[in-house]
Amino acid sequence: MANSPAEAYAAARRRVAFPRLDEFAGGLPFELDPFQREACEALEEGHGVLVCAPTGAGKTVVGEFAVHLALAQGGKCFYTTPIKALSNQKYADLAARHGAGTVGLLTGDTSINGGAAVVVMTTEVLRNMIYARSSTLDGLAYVVMDEIHYLADRFRGAVWEEVILNLPESVRLVGLSATVSNAEEFGEWLVDVRGDTAVVVDEHRPVPLWQHMMVGSRMFDLFAENTTDGRLTVDPQLVQRVQDLERRSGWDRPRHGGPRFRPPARMDVVARLERDGLLPAITFIFSRAGCEAAVNQCVRSGLRLTTPEESEQIRRVVDTRTADLPEGDLGVLGFWEWRDALERGVAAHHAGMLPAFKETVEELFVRGLVRAVFATETLALGINMPARTVVLERLVKYNGEAHVDLTPGEYTQLTGRAGRRGIDVEGHAVVLWQPGVDPTQVAGLASTRTYPLRSSFRPGYNMAVNLVDRVGVAAGRALLEQSFAQFQADRSVVGLARRIDRNAEGLAGYAEAMVCHAGDFAEYAQLRRQISERERSLARLGGAARRAEVAASLRQLKRGDVIAVPGGRRSGLAVVIDPGDGPADDPRPLLLTEDRWAGRLSMADFPTPVEVLGRMRLPKRVEHRVPRVRRDLASALRETGIEVPSRSRRRSEAADDAELAALRRALRAHPCHRCDDREAHARWAERYDRLDRDTDTLRQQVAATTHSLARTFDRIRALLTERGYLDGEQLTEHGRRLARLWSETDLLTAECLRHRIWDGLEPAELAAVVSVLVFEARGDAAAPRVPPGPVSDALVETVRLWAELEADERRYRLERTREPDLGFAWPVYRWARGESLSAVLVAAETNGAELSAGDFVRWCRQVVDVLDQVRGVEGESSAVGAAAAAAVRALRRGVVALGTV
C-alpha cells in the first residue's frame, strides 16, 4: 500500500541529516519528544521558531539547542527571561553545561562576563542594548525569548515587542511560550516581521494531571472516571456532597445559629497530602500575609516533614546561602523563624521576601528537602520548581486593582507546576472547596483551552526618541504599524468592517421599504425626528420635570456605562463604577473620569438628563482609592474611542417654541404627510435610523483602531517637539539624554535633569528624590514624612514639573505619567546615610509605609538602577553625576548588595 503524503513527508524528513542536532541530542539523558525534535530541526535548517507547549513539557530544550548551534557556528546567543530569578537559574544551568567562561549574566543589578558568547539577561537589558547600538550585539546569531507570552503583560509587555521588531534581520529568534489558543496568529505575525518562522504547538503534558477538589476532609476526583460519550463530566458524588453542605450550612443566608462550614486548616491539608503520598506540594495563596500565616500555623501545630538528617542538610544549605548577611540584620529579617520552618520542611515564597531567602527556598524545594511551599502566583513565572501536587486555596485573586476570578490561562499556568517529569508518574491539582464555589465552574477552568495572547504594546517617550534617532519618523511609524498590537487591532477591524457591510445592506433594504410615491420620505422622517427632539427638549426646561428626568436618567445607569460629565473641572468622559443606592429622588453614582478623578456626583452636576455613550468592561471589584487603579482605568476609558458629543449653546424657550411651530408647519406642508401609508413608512424609517446610528458607532471604532499606534507616536512627537526634545527628525541635546533613560517615568526624569532641580543635592538626598519616580505604594497611605530642607524643596519642584507634564499629556491625549510617590523617600534616605536595616524598617513603619525586607531591597535596587542611568547621562564629572555615583555606592551595601556583582 502506498504511503500517505504525510507519512511520505515524515519519512523524507527522517532521511535529512541534522548533524548538530544529533550531536546535541547525544549528550542528553533522555530522548527528544517529537515537538522538541521538530523545533530543533527547523532551527538547524535556519528558520526562526515559536514553540508553544505546557509548563514542564521541556520547551527550554529548544532554547538550549539554539545555544549549542551558536557555539558550534562561532556566533553568539542571548537567552532572555522576564524575571531576574529565572535569569539566575538559567545562567547556573548553562554555566554548568558549557563552562563559566562561556556563559555570562546581565540583569539590572548583576553583571558577570557580559562579553561571553552566551549571555543570559532580562529582556529589558537586551532592549537597552539595541537602542544604545551596543557593540555586544556584534556576532549575535540567536536570541531565545523564554516566556515570550509575557508580552501580554500590561506593565512590561511592550519590551518584548520592541526587541522582536528591532533585532537585526540576521538574528534567528526562538520564542518559548506557554500554550495559548492563538499560537497560529502569533506565528503569522512573527513571519511578517521576522521572516521565515516555524510554529510548533504541542498540547500534550508529559506527566498526566489529575484534577481534585477537597471538600472538608474528603478528597474527590473533579471528573467522573467513565462517561458513555467520552466527554468530561463532573463527579456526581462531588456535586451531591457540595449540595448537601450548602443546604446544611446555609452559607448564603443570614446566620440563625446553625452550623457553618469551615475549610480544613492548612496544616491538616498538608498532613492529608503527606498521608496520601502527594508531597512535595505548592499551595498558592494570593497574598503575602497569607503565605506567612500558613507557615506560622504549620510550625505552631508541630508539623514536621523532615528527618533529622534532612534538617541538618537544610541547615548547611541555609548557612551557605546566607553567610554574607550582616549579623545585626538577622533579627529584623525574621531569619531564625524562617530557618526553623525550613528545617521542618515548610516555607513561604513571595515577592516580599529577601532574594537570598527566596533562592534558598527554591534550591531546597528542588532538592526535595522542603516539601510544602506556600506561594503567591509569582512562583508560576517559569522558575523551575515543579511539585507533585499543586493546591489552590481560592479561585479569586487580587490583581493589583481588584479581586478577580482566575482565568483558564492562569489556572493552567498555576496547576502546570504539578507533575515532575522523570520523577512523578502523574501530577495532581487540588482545589479547596469554599462555600459558593461551584464544581462545574472549577471543571470549566480545568478543561477550557481558550486563553489567547493579547498584545499590550504602546509607544512611549524613550521608544519615540530612539525610533526617530535610529530609523527616522516615517520608518518609525512603519515599525509601529508592524507591532503585534496593530496586527491584532487590524484583524479586529476586519470583523467590524464586515458588520458595517451587513448594516449597509440592511440600510438599503430599509430605504427601499420606506419609499413613498408622494415625495422624499427620508426628508419627512427627518422633520418628525426634529419635532420629537424639540418637544423633549422643551419638556426638560421645566424645573421639576427636569429634576425628575435627570434623576430617572441617573437611576438607570449601570456599572460600566460611559457618560459625559458636563462643565467644571471634572468635565469629559466618565465611567460608572457604582450606580449607588441613595434615595430615588437624589441618586449619587460613583464615577471615574478620564482625568483619574473618582467620586460621587449628584443631580446638581447634571443640568440635563444623562445619556449613555457606550459601555466598558470593569473588574469585579474596583479599588478606586488606589492611584494605580485610577490611572489604568482612566487609560482604558480613553482608549475606548468614545467621544464627548459637542453641545450647542442653549437657546431661549421662546426661540424653541418658534422653531417647533415652524417645524410642525413644514411637516404638515410636506407631500408625504398626505400619504395613506406614512405610518408604515415611518416604522421603517425608525429602524433605518437605529441601524444608521449603530453603523456610525462602528465606523468610529474602525477610525479609532486603524493606525492607532502611529497616531499615538505622532502625538508623542508633537509633545516632545514642543518641549525641546525633538527638532524635526533630529534629537536635541535633551532628546539624546532622554534616549538613554529607561524607566516608567523617563520623561519626568529627563525634565528634572533638564531644569537642574537636582543640582546641589548630597548623595543621600538625591537617592531620596529619585525614589519618588520609581516607588509605588501597595495601597493608600497617609501623606508620608520626607527629609526636610533640600530634599523637601527638590520634591516640591519635581511634583510641579510632573503637574505641568500631566497637563500637556492631557492636552495631547496621551497616557499620563504616574504621580510621584513620596512613600520611600525617608527609608532610602536613612539607608544611604548608613543606618541599620532594623532602624530603617522601623522608621518606615512609623512613617506609614508597608515595607517588608524584600520590598525594601527591591525598591532600593530600582532606585540604584535610575541613579546609574543618571550617572551615565550626566557623567561623573558633573555634580549630579558624581552625587548619583556616590549614592549608588552608599545604597549597595548589606542586604541590598547581597547577590549582586
Side-chain angles (χ1 to χ4, degrees):
M1 180 185 294
N3 289 337
S4 69
E7 291 172 335
Y9 174 76
R13 293 284 299 175
R14 286 193 294 272
R15 290 194 294 271
V16 175
F18 293 100
R20 299 298 184 193
L21 178 56
D22 293 340
E23 178 184 61
F24 172 74
L28 297 175
F30 54 85
E31 289 289 324
L32 290 176
D33 287 341
F35 87 91
Q36 294 170 327
R37 177 165 287 278
E38 180 184 354
C40 291
E41 288 176 356
L43 265 181
E44 186 162 353
E45 288 181 326
H47 309 296
V49 177
L50 170 65
V51 182
C52 298
T55 301
K59 51 185 174 285
T60 55
V61 167
V62 183
E64 291 167 3
F65 180 58
V67 171
H68 178 84
L69 280 177
L71 294 175
Q73 297 165 0
K76 291 182 179 179
C77 179
F78 289 171
Y79 198 113
T80 73
T81 72
I83 52 177
K84 295 174 184 177
L86 189 52
S87 292
N88 294 337
Q89 192 173 70
K90 201 69 215 176
Y91 166 73
D93 294 344
L94 292 175
R97 183 181 179 94
H98 300 287
T102 305
V103 184
L105 174 66
L106 294 174
T107 63
D109 47 40
T110 304
S111 177
I112 302 173
N113 198 15
V118 179
V119 184
V120 183
M121 62 187 69
T122 51
T123 315
E124 282 86 354
V125 170
L126 178 54
R127 186 271 312 271
N128 298 350
M129 278 185 185
I130 292 171
Y131 282 156
R133 300 184 178 90
S134 171
S135 60
T136 310
L137 296 169
D138 295 344
L140 182 61
Y142 296 90
V143 165
V144 180
M145 301 191 80
D146 203 352
E147 309 283 338
I148 197 172
H149 56 272
Y150 209 87
L151 66 78
D153 182 82
R154 57 201 177 97
F155 297 115
R156 297 172 55 212
V159 176
W160 273 252
E161 289 193 50
E162 285 183 82
V163 169
I164 293 169
L165 291 170
N166 288 288
L167 274 175
E169 290 184 13
S170 59
V171 176
R172 291 296 171 202
L173 183 70
V174 181
L176 307 179
S177 170
T179 307
V180 293
S181 56
N182 61 334
E184 289 76 15
E185 178 189 42
F186 188 40
E188 286 178 33
W189 173 69
L190 286 175
V191 170
D192 280 356
V193 298
R194 299 296 315 166
D196 192 10
T197 303
V199 179
V200 179
V201 178
D202 183 72
E203 297 189 7
H204 172 71
R205 278 183 53 93
V207 179
L209 179 64
W210 291 91
Q211 306 278 349
H212 311 278
M213 181 170 277
M214 191 169 179
V215 185
S217 59
R218 293 182 60 184
M219 186 86 77
F220 292 87
D221 287 339
L222 180 59
F223 297 107
E225 289 188 12
N226 296 301
T227 59
T228 56
D229 57 3
R231 290 186 301 174
L232 291 175
T233 59
V234 180
D235 187 339
Q237 294 183 16
L238 168 61
V239 174
Q240 186 62 51
R241 175 62 175 164
V242 167
Q243 289 174 349
D244 291 345
L245 274 175
E246 289 182 337
R247 189 163 48 249
R248 277 186 295 170
S249 64
W251 64 270
D252 58 345
R253 300 187 299 274
R255 187 171 181 182
H256 295 295
R260 301 287 287 179
F261 175 82
R262 291 188 178 181
R266 286 156 173 163
M267 53 275 193
D268 294 337
V269 173
V270 174
R272 171 64 188 268
L273 294 177
E274 182 184 31
R275 187 167 70 249
D276 292 350
L278 297 179
L279 294 181
I282 300 171
T283 299
F284 284 107
I285 302 173
F286 301 115
S287 82
R288 301 177 182 183
C291 293
E292 296 292 347
V295 172
N296 292 335
Q297 290 163 14
C298 291
V299 171
R300 286 199 303 269
S301 72
L303 181 70
R304 181 174 289 276
L305 305 173
T306 55
T307 64
E309 293 76 17
E310 289 171 332
S311 295
E312 183 58 36
Q313 290 183 58
I314 289 170
R315 179 166 292 205
R316 285 199 296 269
V317 172
V318 169
D319 290 344
T320 301
R321 282 277 189 176
T322 61
D324 294 331
L325 281 176
E327 188 76 25
D329 292 340
L330 296 182
V332 71
L333 291 173
F335 173 83
W336 310 110
E337 297 84 355
W338 170 71
R339 190 180 71 176
D340 179 43
L342 285 178
E343 291 178 4
R344 294 170 177 269
V346 182
H349 189 288
H350 56 76
M353 292 174 64
L354 202 65
F357 283 14
K358 283 197 297 183
E359 291 162 10
T360 304
V361 171
E362 290 160 12
E363 178 181 346
L364 292 173
F365 191 79
V366 170
R367 290 174 60 174
L369 296 173
V370 167
R371 307 185 67 210
V373 169
F374 298 92
T376 58
E377 71 271 23
T378 55
L379 183 61
L381 285 174
I383 301 173
N384 186 24
M385 273 183 66
R388 179 167 297 165
T389 303
V390 164
V391 179
L392 297 181
E393 279 202 349
R394 294 183 181 275
L395 299 177
V396 175
K397 70 167 188 173
Y398 185 71
N399 66 357
E401 296 180 357
H403 288 87
V404 297
D405 293 335
L406 286 182
T407 66
E410 289 167 336
Y411 183 91
T412 301
Q413 183 84 350
L414 294 169
T415 58
R417 292 261 160 225
R420 299 163 296 176
R421 188 171 189 176
I423 301 175
D424 298 320
V425 177
E426 57 192 24
H428 300 268
V430 180
V431 174
L432 301 187
W433 182 78
Q434 304 275 350
V437 172
D438 183 357
T440 306
Q441 173 198 6
V442 182
L445 285 173
S447 59
T448 299
R449 291 294 177 264
T450 302
Y451 18 89
L453 190 63
R454 296 288 178 231
S455 171
S456 60
F457 184 75
R458 295 290 182 275
Y461 298 118
N462 173 277
M463 186 193 305
V465 292
N466 275 295
L467 284 176
V468 171
D469 187 42
R470 289 181 66 249
V471 299
V473 172
R477 291 181 97 256
L479 197 67
L480 292 173
E481 295 279 11
Q482 295 175 34
S483 68
F484 189 43
Q486 194 64 59
F487 183 83
Q488 290 187 310
D490 290 344
R491 285 200 162 192
S492 71
V493 165
V494 172
L496 293 175
R498 287 183 184 140
R499 286 177 60 189
I500 291 172
D501 289 342
R502 287 196 298 269
N503 285 4
E505 294 175 6
L507 288 170
Y510 290 153
E512 183 178 348
M514 66 182 191
V515 168
C516 178
H517 70 280
D520 185 350
F521 198 86
E523 183 181 75
Y524 180 75
Q526 177 68 14
L527 285 170
R528 288 173 63 121
R529 280 195 302 274
Q530 289 175 337
I531 290 171
S532 178
E533 290 168 4
R534 187 62 57 204
E535 287 172 341
R536 286 197 300 269
S537 177
L538 285 172
R540 293 192 197 108
L541 293 177
R546 184 194 64 78
R547 274 185 66 85
E549 238 183 302
V550 172
S553 68
L554 290 176
R555 284 196 303 273
Q556 290 172 4
L557 291 178
K558 297 181 178 63
R559 193 170 185 271
D561 282 348
V562 177
I563 65 172
V565 178
R569 291 183 296 109
R570 304 184 186 110
S571 62
L573 288 180
V575 61
V576 178
I577 298 174
D578 175 21
D581 53 0
D585 60 345
D586 188 19
R588 294 174 177 266
L590 175 62
L591 308 175
L592 184 136
T593 70
E594 59 183 323
D595 291 328
R596 296 188 288 188
W597 177 86
R600 293 194 181 275
L601 295 182
S602 67
M603 288 169 44
D605 297 291
F606 298 95
T608 59
V610 177
E611 179 185 355
V612 177
L613 305 177
R615 286 190 57 77
M616 64 179 285
R617 296 184 64 182
L618 296 177
K620 277 195 172 181
R621 183 177 175 187
V622 177
E623 302 286 351
H624 67 276
R625 293 185 178 88
V626 179
R628 184 176 68 254
V629 175
R630 295 197 300 271
R631 178 195 67 196
D632 294 338
L633 199 56
S635 173
L637 175 60
R638 290 191 296 273
E639 290 177 2
T640 60
I642 298 171
E643 296 184 358
V644 177
S646 60
R647 306 186 67 87
S648 59
R649 182 174 55 88
R650 177 174 291 174
R651 289 170 291 186
S652 69
E653 185 175 347
D656 283 331
D657 280 337
E659 184 169 346
L660 180 59
L663 287 170
R664 285 171 174 164
R665 285 195 299 272
L667 183 75
R668 288 192 295 270
H670 197 282
C672 292
H673 192 65
R674 294 181 291 275
C675 176
D676 293 337
D677 297 324
R678 74 181 185 200
E679 293 307 317
H681 294 159
R683 285 193 292 273
W684 289 114
E686 288 172 3
R687 295 176 186 177
Y688 182 97
D689 288 341
R690 284 197 297 270
L691 189 58
D692 192 40
R693 286 194 297 271
D694 178 53
T695 306
D696 281 343
T697 301
L698 293 175
R699 290 195 182 103
Q700 289 178 16
Q701 291 178 16
V702 169
T705 302
T706 308
H707 309 299
S708 55
L709 294 182
R711 289 199 301 272
T712 301
F713 177 59
D714 292 339
R715 294 198 298 272
I716 289 174
R717 287 192 302 108
L719 184 147
L720 292 175
T721 300
E722 181 180 291
R723 284 182 165 261
Y725 289 87
L726 290 175
D727 182 7
E729 297 212 7
Q730 300 298 317
L731 271 61
T732 65
E733 174 191 352
H734 305 305
R736 286 190 291 275
R737 181 186 287 122
L738 175 59
R740 297 168 63 192
L741 294 171
W742 329 89
S743 74
E744 186 185 359
T745 54
D746 46 15
L747 183 54
L748 181 55
T749 305
E751 285 288 282
C752 291
L753 294 173
R754 175 188 176 193
H755 291 279
R756 316 310 306 175
I757 66 172
W758 296 346
D759 286 5
L761 294 176
E762 296 296 322
E765 295 169 341
L766 181 59
V769 175
V770 165
S771 75
V772 307
L773 303 182
V774 301
F775 180 71
E776 281 191 85
R778 298 188 68 212
D780 281 346
R785 291 174 54 230
V786 298
V791 172
S792 179
D793 295 341
L795 288 176
V796 169
E797 288 301 301
T798 301
V799 173
R800 179 184 62 80
L801 286 178
W802 165 79
E804 293 175 355
L805 174 58
E806 199 226 18
D808 282 351
E809 289 169 332
R810 186 185 300 110
R811 182 159 51 89
Y812 280 100
R813 292 180 293 117
L814 294 172
E815 181 73 26
R816 314 289 200 270
T817 296
R818 179 176 57 80
E819 183 175 359
D821 191 322
L822 281 56
F824 195 59
W826 193 254
V828 77
Y829 174 76
R830 298 183 68 159
W831 180 255
R833 293 182 63 187
E835 296 189 28
S836 69
L837 179 65
S838 58
V840 169
L841 293 182
V842 169
E845 186 176 356
T846 305
N847 202 25
E850 182 185 345
L851 209 60
S852 69
D855 288 330
F856 175 76
V857 170
R858 187 174 73 257
W859 290 121
C860 274
R861 289 180 176 179
Q862 291 194 32
V863 173
V864 165
D865 186 38
V866 175
L867 287 169
D868 257 337
Q869 295 175 38
V870 170
R871 175 193 57 77
V873 300
E874 291 291 298
E876 292 192 41
S877 59
S878 71
V880 173
V888 168
R889 292 192 294 272
L891 292 176
R892 274 191 181 143
R893 64 181 179 89
V895 292
V896 177
L898 191 65
T900 64
V901 177

